[in-house]
Amino acid sequence: MKALIDQQVHGYRNGHQLLSATMNLARQDQDTVDRLSDMAGPLRPGEVFNPYLAAYPLPSRTHFVFARTWQDLEAPRAGCVITKSLLVPMSVWENLNTLDELIALLTPVELEGGKKLTEPVKPGSDPLPVVFDQRTVELVEAMFLENRQPIVFFESQEAEAITKRVLLALWPSLRRNFAVCSFTLAPRKIDGRDFDLVFAPKTARTRFADWPGRRIEATSSKESRHRWSISIASRIFQSNSPSLIADDTLGALKTDPRGDEATLRLSLLWSELLAKSATTPTAVLGMIDILNSRGEHSQDAFKPLVPIITRAINIASSSLPDVEIWHFLTTLIGKFHKGLPSKSIFRTVKSEASNLAGRNPRSALEFLQTESLASRTVPAVLLAGIGDGISSNSTVFNASDGMSKVPAKAGLGLIALSTKFARYAIALAKEQPDICMPCLLTFFDDPDRKLQRKARRRLTPFFNEDVLLPLLSPLLEGVTPDELSEFALRLGQETGFEISCFDEPIINASRNHLGLESLRNAIASTFDSPSSDRFIFKTLKPDVPSIVWLTTGGSLGPERARRLLFGLLEDTSDRNIQAILSEELNFNHILDLLLSDRLLTASQIVRVLIWGDPKVDMLLELGLDLLPCLNHEDKGLLLRHILERSLVESAPSDHRVQIILRHAASQIAPHQLIQAAFPSFASTSRISENILLLNALPPQDRQGLLAHVDYLSSQLLNRQPNNLGAQTYAAWAQMIADSGQISWDTQLRAALPTLTFALEQTNLPVSALLVETFPIVYAQLLRSKDEGDFKLIPALLKLPFTFFADWDRAKAARRDLVEAFLRSSWPPADLLLAGLRAGIGDKILRRVSRSYGGNQYISAIEQDSYRFPQSIQNRLKATILNFQTSRKSNDWD
């Protein structure tokens, strides 16, 4: 014994008290030793007794007391005792496997000298004496097999031997609290409770009249009442090593924390079931129950049981009917907590279930139906085995006889847990969809999301024909974004997304924008093919999130993103494009992506530029670059838009506007070109500048405008009376003049209202209009004979009323022209030029000369003629000279 054992000696000295000690105890502990070291109960006169043993824990549980008491016949009074108490550290006491060394210390006490008691030399170990008292069977039952109570054992000649063997037999947690005394004349207590076991002579029986526990009398029955009574008694009182823990194959006694006798019974039951398990498979079920009752839920705890369970499964398979085998396997799996059993047991159970189902599929189906009717869940490992087994026996398990008989919940489990069954079920569905498809659809009505996820993973590799389309939506019911992406990726690996009818159910399963984006990212980063692009394209919508994903998501390369964006824009209405492009960032991202291959995307770039409202400078720059890439229709759309913007917002001097205008003249209808020059709310100066731009077009581009000069004139006339400026009026006049080469009717329709306008605007620099329009209108007036002309030329009605007040309309026109010039600040020479072009120069001068200040005005005409080219100057001067010469000769004045 490695520890030094402290000791105390108690005896008589003016009363029973502590005589010597090698250790001072706490007050409560010392009081306990002081009391229990004395005799319990009075001796009768002359009564003597042999030394006895006592063993009990101190209240503090730091030490255990092992003591021997002698009768002190030398004391001055009767009934005195001497007790030597050994204070054994509790950790030492719990693990003792022999009492020999302690017994050797309990030698008779020498009272004289009062020296500290020392530990003697260890003696040799003597074998424990065998106990022959047959009442030990009842003692074992009272201690271990029945409700525990304090025990008093009367009239035993082997009390000390029984005490020693009982103490050695106890396991640590029970031994540390066990209190026993091999001789007492009255009940003994510690910590307020009776000793667990005391031995008393028959003379002390009356003192135990109120004993609350068991009494073992000399006449007690020797027959056992429990199946383990005799074996335990023999192990404790007949063997050389009275240890119950030695035969604890369960290991329960070593780990028992409470000192509970039920633990011993559990250990005994374990050993019993272990023996039976060699021939009876159900014995292993009880063994699992024992482990569960002890809270043993780890694979390490069950590891020793693995070969026993495997053997039990093999025995059941070879000896039980099929229906009982299914019941045994179900019960076996049901005994295990989550995470158990070990993989080897799972493999064995699955293998047995597979063999049994393959051998007799009908019994497997009957088992599934029975469990379904009883609303019991079939263990997953059995479903996995059944699925493997029945799918291997196609002669029995087929579409009509097999699949239709599988309960719905079991069917989902079979697919989820057996790849073989999943493959076989899909094969049957492809061969006989009318029979199998309804069955498979009922399987997916089960709300178990976990099984649905597993089933989805099992079935995905086999979804390679469009006949399986009806299964797809149920298969994806309740799927999470991550699960949907996983499914789509696996499907893509199997089919390459070639089955287009699968697209819609998969996309619908995404349910929201985040799920859709997760799906797109997964596919875009893994697959790059026309089929995968088709699928991705179907996930896109004409909205901002889709556009942002395409242009900035990063999952696509620029070429794929551009291709998909182009397709999306092609399928998107102008209204949606306008909404998308309302944010400048979206506009820039889209434009940047499309411009990277303008030959491919030119048509959609046009729409982006039209609806994106970029700055006019960008519009002009990109528009000019884009024109060579466009077809006729798109080019016309873009040019009209650029014109509408640039003829309002850009500087007239911007050479790009002139280039755009030249392109537009050859691409869009003249009246549309004219409309662009007259934007709503544009200023007069802007309109004026636009007319100058139109007139500056090259001859081949200007011809279309000249053919619609009447429309141009009507637009300009609508702007009156704002001053467009002499230059603009001159350009207008020039276009009316040149239009005669294209169409005389058009020229006349333009000239008639324009002349009327010009005659009225004496405060505006419109004389150039009179120069060009008066000759045209005058010629028509000369040709007009009656009112029928108004039906042929309705525009005649736009002439001034004064033209029709005189029967000679031409004369009235000459008069109005002269009067208008005389009232205005127009260049005087323009009056004569208009008359010359109308062929009435002399008549105009004559009319002027008859007016107030006419001669001075004629002189002004001559002076103003110098601003014209020489040829025109010569004509004007010659006309004036001829008029003056003729007037003198005829003396008109």
Side-chain angles (χ1 to χ4, degrees):
M1 185 176 297
K2 296 180 180 179
L4 178 67
I5 304 300
D6 287 292
Q7 306 172 12
Q8 288 189 355
V9 176
H10 289 74
Y12 182 81
R13 183 181 294 166
N14 296 323
H16 187 78
Q17 59 182 283
L18 177 63
L19 301 180
S20 62
T22 63
M23 179 182 183
N24 294 322
L25 297 174
R27 178 74 291 179
Q28 187 179 10
D29 289 347
Q30 190 61 60
D31 289 346
T32 300
V33 178
D34 292 347
R35 177 173 56 82
L36 293 178
S37 63
D38 198 1
M39 183 72 184
L43 288 170
R44 292 180 300 172
E47 184 178 4
V48 294
F49 60 86
N50 293 323
Y52 64 84
L53 294 175
Y56 54 89
L58 293 179
S60 66
R61 295 301 192 273
T62 59
H63 291 77
F64 197 92
V65 178
F66 188 63
R68 184 182 290 281
T69 300
W70 292 267
Q71 189 173 9
D72 187 0
L73 298 177
E74 302 297 327
R77 53 178 292 182
C80 294
V81 297
I82 300 173
T83 299
K84 178 184 284 190
S85 301
L86 305 180
L87 305 177
V88 184
M90 188 61 77
S91 59
V92 175
W93 174 254
E94 288 177 341
N95 297 291
L96 283 177
N97 53 22
T98 178
L99 297 176
D100 291 346
E101 297 180 19
L102 296 180
I103 294 295
L105 294 177
L106 296 177
T107 55
V109 178
E110 180 63 46
L111 294 180
E112 299 297 331
K115 298 186 295 182
K116 181 178 179 180
L117 300 173
T118 57
E119 183 178 354
V121 179
K122 302 175 184 177
S125 298
D126 294 327
L128 288 169
V130 174
V131 175
F132 295 100
D133 193 328
Q134 294 184 359
R135 290 178 294 169
T136 54
V137 173
E138 183 180 357
L139 176 61
V140 164
E141 291 175 340
M143 288 183 64
F144 304 116
L145 304 179
E146 297 171 358
N147 290 336
R148 186 195 288 188
Q149 294 176 300
I151 303 168
V152 57
F153 199 114
F154 292 108
E155 284 299 309
S156 174
Q157 301 301 317
E158 301 172 289
E160 185 165 320
I162 293 173
T163 298
K164 292 178 180 179
R165 283 183 170 271
V166 166
L167 288 173
L168 289 174
L170 300 179
W171 57 96
S173 59
L174 184 56
R175 184 190 291 175
R176 73 191 312 269
N177 292 304
F178 195 79
V180 61
C181 185
S182 64
F183 178 80
T184 184
L185 297 176
R188 310 210 73 164
K189 291 181 178 292
I190 182 172
D191 289 343
R193 67 180 179 91
D194 290 294
F195 268 46
D196 297 280
L197 174 63
V198 294
F199 293 85
K202 62 181 179 180
T203 55
R205 187 177 287 111
T206 58
R207 298 191 182 97
F208 287 90
D210 296 327
W211 181 249
R214 292 286 294 269
R215 303 164 66 94
I216 299 179
E217 304 282 356
T219 58
S220 296
S221 172
K222 312 302 188 293
E223 298 295 329
S224 63
R225 296 188 298 274
H226 302 279
R227 66 180 186 271
W228 295 311
S229 302
I230 295 175
S231 63
I232 296 175
S234 175
R235 190 180 307 170
I236 296 175
F237 300 110
Q238 302 295 321
S239 68
N240 291 330
S241 178
S243 173
L244 293 174
I245 202 171
D247 295 321
D248 177 28
T249 56
L250 177 62
L253 299 180
K254 294 178 182 177
T255 58
D256 174 29
R258 298 192 306 265
D260 188 354
E261 64 276 5
T263 305
L264 174 62
R265 296 195 290 270
L266 203 64
S267 177
L268 295 170
L269 178 59
W270 174 273
S271 298
E272 185 178 271
L273 291 172
L274 179 61
K276 288 184 179 180
S277 67
T279 56
T280 306
T282 53
V284 77
L285 302 178
M287 299 176 73
I288 297 174
D289 284 338
I290 290 174
L291 290 179
N292 288 333
S293 70
R294 300 185 65 240
E296 299 286 358
H297 300 152
S298 66
Q299 290 196 5
D300 289 341
F302 279 85
K303 189 173 183 179
L305 205 56
V306 170
I308 301 171
I309 295 174
T310 303
R311 181 180 63 192
I313 294 172
N314 294 332
I315 294 172
S317 176
S318 61
S319 61
L320 298 178
D322 287 356
V323 65
E324 293 186 20
I325 297 175
W326 288 120
H327 179 70
F328 171 74
L329 293 177
T330 302
T331 306
L332 174 64
I333 294 300
K335 298 289 184 182
F336 291 99
H337 289 264
K338 185 178 181 180
L340 295 171
S342 65
K343 291 181 180 179
S344 61
I345 295 299
F346 266 120
R347 285 193 293 268
T348 302
V349 172
K350 180 182 177 182
S351 177
E352 177 55 33
S354 178
N355 294 335
L356 183 57
R359 183 175 72 246
N360 189 354
R362 288 192 175 88
S363 75
L365 290 175
E366 290 172 359
F367 164 68
L368 294 177
Q369 292 167 351
T370 299
E371 298 300 288
S372 178
L373 290 173
S375 298
R376 291 191 293 264
T377 301
V378 179
V381 65
L382 293 186
L383 286 173
I386 292 172
D388 288 356
I390 60 179
S391 59
S392 66
N393 194 334
S394 58
T395 58
V396 175
F397 186 83
N398 51 46
S400 57
D401 295 334
M403 189 70 74
S404 60
K405 295 180 180 179
V406 176
K409 187 173 184 65
L412 182 63
L414 292 174
I415 292 174
L417 300 167
S418 171
T419 301
K420 293 180 180 178
F421 184 84
R423 182 189 297 112
Y424 185 64
I426 290 296
L428 289 178
K430 293 175 182 177
E431 294 172 3
Q432 303 181 58
D434 294 342
I435 298 175
C436 286
M437 201 64 71
C439 298
L440 292 176
L441 289 174
T442 61
F443 293 169
F444 285 98
D445 285 339
D446 191 295
D448 190 327
R449 297 299 186 207
K450 184 177 180 181
L451 280 181
Q452 286 184 349
R453 286 194 295 270
K454 290 184 177 180
R456 188 162 48 246
R457 293 191 186 101
R458 300 283 185 188
L459 291 177
T460 304
F462 314 123
F463 260 74
N464 51 14
E465 293 186 22
D466 55 9
V467 71
L468 301 176
L469 177 62
L471 282 178
L472 199 51
S473 291
L475 188 69
L476 297 176
E477 182 67 28
V479 70
T480 67
D482 288 344
E483 291 167 348
L484 182 61
S485 297
E486 178 187 0
F487 174 83
L489 290 177
R490 296 188 65 188
L491 187 69
Q493 292 169 355
E494 297 297 328
T495 67
F497 297 102
E498 295 291 340
I499 306 176
S500 60
C501 64
F502 287 173
D503 297 351
E504 185 174 353
I506 297 174
I507 293 170
N508 290 341
S510 63
R511 297 197 302 277
N512 56 43
H513 162 64
L514 292 178
L516 207 56
E517 185 167 316
S518 174
L519 181 63
R520 287 195 212 111
N521 285 331
I523 295 174
S525 60
T526 308
F527 299 94
D528 186 358
S529 66
S531 295
S532 63
D533 283 355
R534 181 208 69 238
F535 182 92
I536 294 173
F537 184 78
K538 288 184 179 180
T539 70
L540 299 172
K541 298 178 181 179
D543 56 19
V544 172
S546 293
I547 295 297
V548 170
W549 181 82
L550 275 173
T551 56
T552 63
S555 296
L556 296 169
E559 183 178 349
R560 290 181 77 193
R562 182 172 57 250
R563 189 165 60 243
L564 290 170
L565 176 61
F566 178 80
L568 180 62
L569 294 177
E570 274 196 323
D571 288 349
T572 302
S573 68
D574 290 343
R575 183 176 181 180
N576 283 340
I577 287 184
Q578 187 175 15
I580 291 169
L581 297 176
S582 61
E583 296 183 19
E584 184 178 357
L585 187 61
N586 292 336
F587 170 79
N588 292 334
H589 284 318
I590 292 174
L591 194 59
D592 289 345
L593 189 57
L594 293 177
L595 284 173
S596 58
D597 189 353
R598 62 193 66 194
L599 288 176
L600 172 68
T601 62
S603 61
Q604 295 310 312
I605 296 176
V606 169
R607 299 180 74 197
V608 171
L609 290 176
I610 290 175
W611 297 110
D613 195 28
K615 295 184 182 306
V616 71
D617 187 68
M618 175 186 287
L619 185 62
L620 283 167
E621 191 70 29
L622 293 178
L624 287 174
D625 288 344
L626 197 62
L627 288 178
C629 307
L630 297 175
N631 59 36
H632 179 79
E633 181 180 358
D634 290 334
K635 187 178 292 186
L637 288 173
L638 181 60
L639 286 170
R640 277 197 300 275
H641 180 72
I642 296 176
L643 276 179
E644 290 171 357
R645 293 280 308 279
S646 63
L647 292 179
V648 175
E649 303 173 35
S650 63
S653 59
D654 192 331
H655 71 283
R656 295 174 300 181
V657 178
Q658 297 171 342
I659 297 172
I660 288 293
L661 196 56
R662 287 200 299 271
H663 282 290
S666 62
Q667 291 291 326
I668 63 178
H671 72 279
Q672 292 177 328
L673 191 62
I674 294 169
Q675 284 178 344
F678 293 90
S680 300
F681 309 110
S683 65
T684 300
S685 61
R686 182 75 244 190
I687 297 295
S688 177
E689 291 163 348
N690 291 346
I691 297 302
L692 294 175
L693 287 172
L694 291 178
N695 190 51
L697 284 171
Q700 67 273 16
D701 298 326
R702 190 166 170 267
Q703 286 184 352
L705 292 174
L706 298 180
H708 292 78
V709 72
D710 54 341
Y711 180 66
L712 174 66
S713 297
S714 68
Q715 294 294 314
L716 283 167
L717 290 171
N718 290 335
R719 308 294 296 190
Q720 62 174 315
N722 296 330
N723 186 357
L724 297 176
Q727 190 177 6
T728 301
Y729 290 127
W732 181 4
Q734 184 64 47
M735 286 188 280
I736 292 175
D738 293 344
S739 67
Q741 303 172 12
I742 308 287
S743 170
W744 179 83
D745 290 340
T746 301
Q747 185 184 47
L748 180 60
R749 285 194 299 272
L752 287 168
T754 303
L755 175 62
T756 301
F757 162 76
L759 287 172
E760 296 174 353
Q761 307 301 322
T762 56
N763 59 332
L764 297 179
V766 296
S767 60
L769 288 173
L770 293 169
V771 171
E772 301 297 342
T773 60
F774 181 81
I776 300 169
V777 174
Y778 189 78
Q780 179 61 41
L781 291 175
L782 291 177
R783 288 192 291 269
S784 299
K785 300 299 183 181
D786 52 38
E787 300 302 323
D789 292 337
F790 293 101
K791 295 181 181 179
L792 297 175
I793 309 175
L796 285 170
L797 294 173
K798 296 181 180 180
L799 288 173
F801 175 76
T802 55
F803 281 25
F804 306 101
D806 195 325
W807 66 269
D808 187 351
R809 297 170 186 165
K811 179 181 178 181
R814 294 194 301 271
R815 181 189 65 235
D816 284 0
L817 178 65
V818 172
E819 290 179 356
F821 264 90
L822 291 176
R823 292 194 310 270
S824 73
S825 58
W826 299 331
D830 285 350
L831 171 60
L832 182 55
L833 183 60
L836 286 175
R837 290 185 176 178
I840 56 172
D842 288 343
K843 291 181 178 182
I844 292 297
L845 291 175
R846 187 179 301 118
R847 185 71 188 181
V848 171
S849 67
R850 292 175 180 174
S851 301
Y852 177 78
N855 291 331
Q856 291 85 348
Y857 197 83
I858 292 173
S859 298
I861 291 174
E862 186 174 5
Q863 292 177 2
D864 185 44
S865 65
Y866 289 102
R867 62 186 173 87
F868 291 111
Q870 190 63 48
S871 59
I872 296 179
Q873 289 183 39
N874 293 337
R875 287 186 62 195
L876 294 174
K877 291 178 181 179
T879 301
I880 294 172
L881 180 61
N882 289 336
F883 169 73
Q884 291 175 341
T885 302
S886 175
R887 184 175 62 173
K888 289 179 179 179
S889 63
N890 290 298
D891 195 18
W892 292 346
D893 294 336

